[in-house]
C-alpha cells in the first residue's frame, strides 16, 4: 500500500471507530430509557445496599449528596475481613512525625475540600450517595443483563489503573507520565507524600479519566490518592479528590468496594477541589499515605497539617500488610478507544514554570525507620508510556521549598 492509501485506510478505520463509539453511547441512552421494571427494581435494591441510612445529609458544591452515616454502618464493615474489628470513631494512629512547611508564596490553599457547615455530626462519617444514574453510567445494567459487551470500555471490575505494564486486559488503555521508585523487594517504604498542584484537564469524553496521584505498592497490592476528573463515574467534569486501592484481585475507586475506613467527619474521599488556572493562581493539595507504625494500617492524610481522613486496614492486604516495595508520583489517564486521547495535568507539556505545569513538589517517601526522605535520595526513574502525548521530568535541584519536584502533563490528542 502506498503511504497515501494507508492514510486513507486509517482515516476510514478511524471514522468507523468514531461511528461505533457514537452508536454505543446512543445505545446507552436507549438502554436508559427502556429500563425494564425488573431492572429498575434491581437498581433500587442495589442502591439500598450501597446507601446506608443517613443521620443528616449535606449537599456538595457540585451537587453531590453526602450522607452522614453512623461510623459502624459505613461500607468498609461490609468487608468479610472487617466483621470483627475494634475500630472506633476516636481512633488515633501512631504515625511518623510528618512536618510540613507551607511558607511558599504565590500559592493558594483554600482547602475547600471540606464539607459545608462543619461536616457530619460526631460518630458519623460523610459518604457520597450513589444515584441511579451513577449505577447506570458505571455499567451496572450490563452486569445484571449479563452482557458485559454493552459497555464499550471496562468498568472497574475488570479494569485496574495500577497495572502499568499490562494494559491489554482492559478495553481501552491507560497512559502514565510518572516518576517511580521501581518495585524491589529490598525496598522498605512506609509511606509516600507530596504537595500536588490541582488541575481540571479539559475535553474529557464520557469514557475517560485524567488524574494526578501518588501511590505505594507491593506486588499485587497498592494504594493511591490524588485528584481526578472522571466523567464516567461522576457524570460531570469537576475535579475531585480520589483514592484507589487494589488488594489481590479486588480493586476500586474510593469506597466502591468495601475496605477504606472513614474517620474524618468533614473531608470525604471524593471531596471537591478548586483547580489551578493556567498561569496562576495555583491551587495545591498536600497528600500523604502513611503506615501506622504499630498496627500497619495505611492512613490517608490531607492538607498541610496532615488531617486524618481514614485508613485501609492492613489485614485487607497480603503484601501491603508489610512495607511497600515501590512508589509512584505523577499523572495517569484512561480512555476507551476511538476517541482522542485525553489531556493530562494542566493540558500542556511541562515548561518549568510552576504557574503553568502540573507538579508534585516536596515529594517524599518514608523509610523503614519512619523518616521522611526526599524522592531525590532513592533510585527512581522516569516512566512515560506515550512521550509524544504526555511527558514527565524530575528536578533534583529545585528550590528548597519545592524539595524533590516532579512535573508532568500533556495535551493528549487535543493539540
Ligand atoms: C499481559 O496480559 C496478557 C493476557 O493476560 C498475558 O498474556 C501477558 O503475558 C501479559 N504481559 C505482561 C507483561 O504481564
Ligand atoms: C534491588 O535493589 C538492590 C539494592 O539497591 C539492587 O542491588 C538490585 O539490583 C535491585 N534489583 C532490581 C531487580 O532492580
Ligand atoms: C497476591 O500476592 C500474594 C502473595 O504473593 C499471593 O498469595 C496471592 O495469591 C496474590 N493474589 C492474586 C489475586 O494474584
Ligand atoms: C519539604 O519542604 C520543606 C519546605 O517547604 C523543606 O524544608 C524540606 O526540606 C522539604 N523536604 C523534602 C524531603 O523535600
Ligand atoms: C477543548 O475544550 C475547550 C473548552 O470547552 C474548547 O474551547 C476547545 O476547542 C477544545 N479543544 C479541542 C481540541 O477539542
Amino acid at each position: 500500500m502506498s503511504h497515501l492509501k494507508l492514510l486513507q485506510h486509517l482515516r476510514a478505520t478511524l471514522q468507523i471507530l468514531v461511528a461505533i463509539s457514537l452508536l454505543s453511547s446512543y445505545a446507552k441512552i436507549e438502554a436508559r430509557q427502556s429500563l425494564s421494571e425488573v431492572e429498575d427494581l434491581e437498581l433500587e435494591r442495589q442502591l439500598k445496599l450501597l446507601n446506608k441510612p443517613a443521620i443528616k445529609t449535606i449537599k456538595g458544591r457540585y451537587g453531590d449528596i453526602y450522607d452522614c452515616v453512623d461510623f459502624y454502618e459505613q461500607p468498609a464493615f461490609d468487608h468479610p475481613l472487617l466483621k470483627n474489628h475494634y475500630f472506633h470513631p476516636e481512633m488515633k494512629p501512631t504515625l511518623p512525625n510528618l512536618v510540613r512547611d507551607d511558607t511558599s508564596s504565590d500559592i493558594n490553599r483554600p482547602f475547600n475540600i471540606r464539607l459545608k457547615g462543619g461536616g457530619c455530626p460526631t460518630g458519623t462519617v460523610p459518604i457520597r450517595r450513589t444515584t441511579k444514574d451513577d449505577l447506570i453510567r458505571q455499567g451496572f445494567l450490563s452486569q445484571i443483563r449479563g452482557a458485559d459487551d454493552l459497555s464499550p470500555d471496562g468498568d472497574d471490575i475488570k479494569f485496574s489503573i495500577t497495572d502499568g505494564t499490562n494494559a491489554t486486559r482492559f478495553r481501552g488503555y491507560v497512559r502514565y507520565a510518572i516518576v517511580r521508585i521501581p518495585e524491589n523487594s529490598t525496598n522498605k517504604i512506609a509511606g509516600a507524600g507530596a504537595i500536588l498542584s490541582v488541575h481540571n484537564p479539559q475535553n474529557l469524553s464520557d469514557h475517560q479519566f485524567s488524574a494526578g496521584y501518588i501511590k505505594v505498592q507491593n506486588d499485587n497490592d497498592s494504594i493511591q490518592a490524588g485528584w481526578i476528573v472522571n466523567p464516567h463515574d461522576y457524570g460531570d467534569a469537576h475535579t475531585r479528590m480520589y483514592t484507589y486501592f487494589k488488594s489481590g484481585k479486588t480493586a476500586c475507586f474510593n469506597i466502591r468496594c468495601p475496605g477504606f475506613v472513614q474517620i474524618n467527619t468533614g473531608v470525604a474521599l471524593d471531596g471537591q477541589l478548586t483547580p489551578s488556572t493556567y498561569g496562576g493562581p495555583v491551587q495545591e493539595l498536600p497528600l500523604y499515605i502513611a503506615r501506622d507504625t504499630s498496627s500497619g494500617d495505611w492512613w490517608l492524610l490531607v492538607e498541610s497539617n496532615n488531617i486524618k481522613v481514614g485508613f485501609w486496614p492492613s489485614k485487607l492486604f497480603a503484601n501491603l500488610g508489610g512495607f511497600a516495595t515501590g512508589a509512584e508520583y505523577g499523572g495517569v489517564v484512561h480512555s476507551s478507544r476511538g476517541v482522542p486521547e485525553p489531556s493530562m495535568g494542566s493540558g500542556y507539556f511541562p515548561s518549568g514554570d510552576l504557574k503553568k505545569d502540573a507538579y508534585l513538589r516536596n515529594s517524599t517517601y518514608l523509610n523503614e525507620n519512619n523518616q521522611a526522605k526526599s524522592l531525590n535520595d532513592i533510585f527512581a526513574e522516569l516512566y512515560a508510556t506515550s512521550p509524544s502525548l504526555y511527558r514527565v521530568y524530575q528536578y533534583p535541584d529545585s528550590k528548597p521549598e519545592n524539595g524533590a519536584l516532579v512535573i508532568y502533563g500533556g495535551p493528549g490528542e487535543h493539540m
Side-chain angles (χ1 to χ4, degrees):
M1 247 194 265
S2 75
H3 271 141
L4 186 64
K5 276 243 173 77
L6 186 65
L7 263 181
Q8 282 166 344
H9 178 73
L10 281 177
R11 189 167 301 153
T13 312
L14 195 67
Q15 276 163 357
I16 291 168
L17 282 176
V18 169
I20 290 174
S21 80
L22 284 177
L23 273 178
S24 55
S25 44
Y26 183 68
K28 270 207 161 165
I29 297 163
E30 282 283 275
R32 170 92 177 87
Q33 283 161 350
S34 59
L35 271 187
S36 76
E37 205 171 315
V38 175
E39 284 166 345
D40 201 49
L41 282 175
E42 184 52 31
L43 283 174
E44 295 286 353
R45 197 183 69 85
Q46 188 66 18
L47 287 175
K48 276 218 184 75
L49 288 176
L50 287 170
N51 292 323
K52 312 291 181 187
I55 282 144
K56 176 185 167 185
T57 64
I58 300 172
K59 195 158 183 210
R61 259 189 297 148
Y62 302 149
D64 313 50
I65 303 286
Y66 293 89
D67 287 325
C68 297
V69 172
D70 184 280
F71 176 84
Y72 295 98
E73 302 273 313
Q74 64 176 301
F77 303 134
D78 291 342
H79 197 292
L81 291 174
L82 303 180
K83 285 285 178 237
N84 302 305
H85 65 86
Y86 300 97
F87 305 139
H88 58 87
E90 276 86 42
M91 285 179 68
K92 299 257 184 306
T94 317
L95 292 174
N97 189 21
L98 295 167
V99 186
R100 285 260 183 76
D101 180 340
D102 286 307
T103 49
S104 185
S105 54
D106 302 336
I107 299 294
N108 271 12
R109 318 209 144 206
F111 292 149
N112 42 22
I113 195 172
R114 282 155 210 264
L115 292 170
K116 280 185 285 196
C120 286
T122 308
T124 70
V125 290
I127 307 282
R128 182 180 175 275
R129 187 185 299 174
T130 307
T131 66
K132 208 179 273 190
D133 280 334
D134 290 338
L135 285 184
I136 292 169
R137 263 197 331 276
Q138 293 162 9
F140 185 71
L141 277 183
S142 51
Q143 285 171 53
I144 61 178
R145 285 173 181 164
D148 254 342
D149 288 346
L150 263 184
S151 165
D153 63 335
D155 19 59
D156 64 8
I157 302 157
K158 51 182 174 301
F159 150 55
S160 148
I161 59 175
T162 53
D163 286 356
T165 50
N166 199 344
T168 56
R169 286 171 43 215
F170 321 131
R171 320 251 189 96
Y173 51 81
V174 188
R175 310 268 192 234
Y176 298 88
I178 58 176
V179 173
R180 66 178 178 190
I181 303 171
E183 284 222 76
N184 184 326
S185 53
T186 64
N187 287 339
K188 290 196 171 60
I189 298 170
I195 300 173
L196 289 79
S197 61
V198 175
H199 301 270
N200 187 255
Q202 300 287 302
N203 310 84
L204 265 64
S205 64
D206 287 354
H207 300 294
Q208 299 183 323
F209 70 68
S210 184
Y213 73 102
I214 51 172
K215 173 169 136 183
V216 292
Q217 177 167 11
N218 184 336
D219 195 18
N220 53 19
D221 291 342
S222 65
I223 294 171
Q224 63 182 275
W227 60 262
I228 195 166
V229 175
N230 186 348
H232 180 254
D233 278 10
Y234 293 103
D236 64 33
H238 293 299
T239 306
R240 291 176 174 82
M241 181 161 85
Y242 85 99
T243 62
Y244 186 87
F245 88 102
K246 186 165 179 237
S247 161
K249 287 200 170 89
T250 308
C252 68
F253 285 109
N254 300 336
I255 48 159
R256 283 181 53 195
C257 50
F260 183 80
V261 180
Q262 173 88 25
I263 292 281
N264 200 287
T265 56
V267 178
L269 277 191
D270 32 25
Q272 303 150 12
L273 298 168
T274 302
S276 308
T277 305
Y278 193 70
V282 175
Q283 314 281 348
E284 292 189 330
L285 176 66
L287 284 178
Y288 227 101
I289 300 168
R291 186 169 180 265
D292 186 308
T293 56
S294 59
S295 67
D297 299 335
W298 292 88
W299 282 77
L300 174 67
L301 313 172
V302 301
E303 301 188 0
S304 45
N305 45 354
N306 296 313
I307 290 181
K308 298 163 193 74
V309 182
F311 64 95
W312 293 268
S314 66
K315 61 161 76 161
L316 293 178
F317 304 101
N319 298 307
L320 275 182
F323 288 105
T325 52
E328 298 179 1
Y329 307 74
V332 59
V333 300
H334 160 72
S335 178
S336 55
R337 296 186 193 284
V339 285
E341 300 213 12
S343 51
M344 178 193 282
S346 68
Y348 294 86
F349 289 124
S351 67
D353 179 349
L354 295 194
K355 286 193 171 150
K356 295 181 172 171
D357 297 341
Y359 62 82
L360 299 95
R361 64 182 186 91
N362 217 290
S363 304
T364 57
Y365 69 96
L366 292 168
N367 68 11
E368 62 186 303
N369 302 317
N370 297 302
Q371 293 158 321
K373 294 281 182 188
S374 167
L375 181 58
N376 297 331
D377 296 347
I378 191 170
F379 174 69
E381 62 190 12
L382 304 181
Y383 178 69
T385 53
S386 300
S388 62
L389 303 178
Y390 314 108
R391 293 183 195 145
V392 61
Y393 302 95
Q394 181 179 1
Y395 286 98
D397 49 3
S398 67
K399 290 184 196 158
E401 71 266 27
N402 291 332
L405 178 65
V406 173
I407 61 178
Y408 65 94
E413 288 175 342
H414 296 277
M415 309 249 185

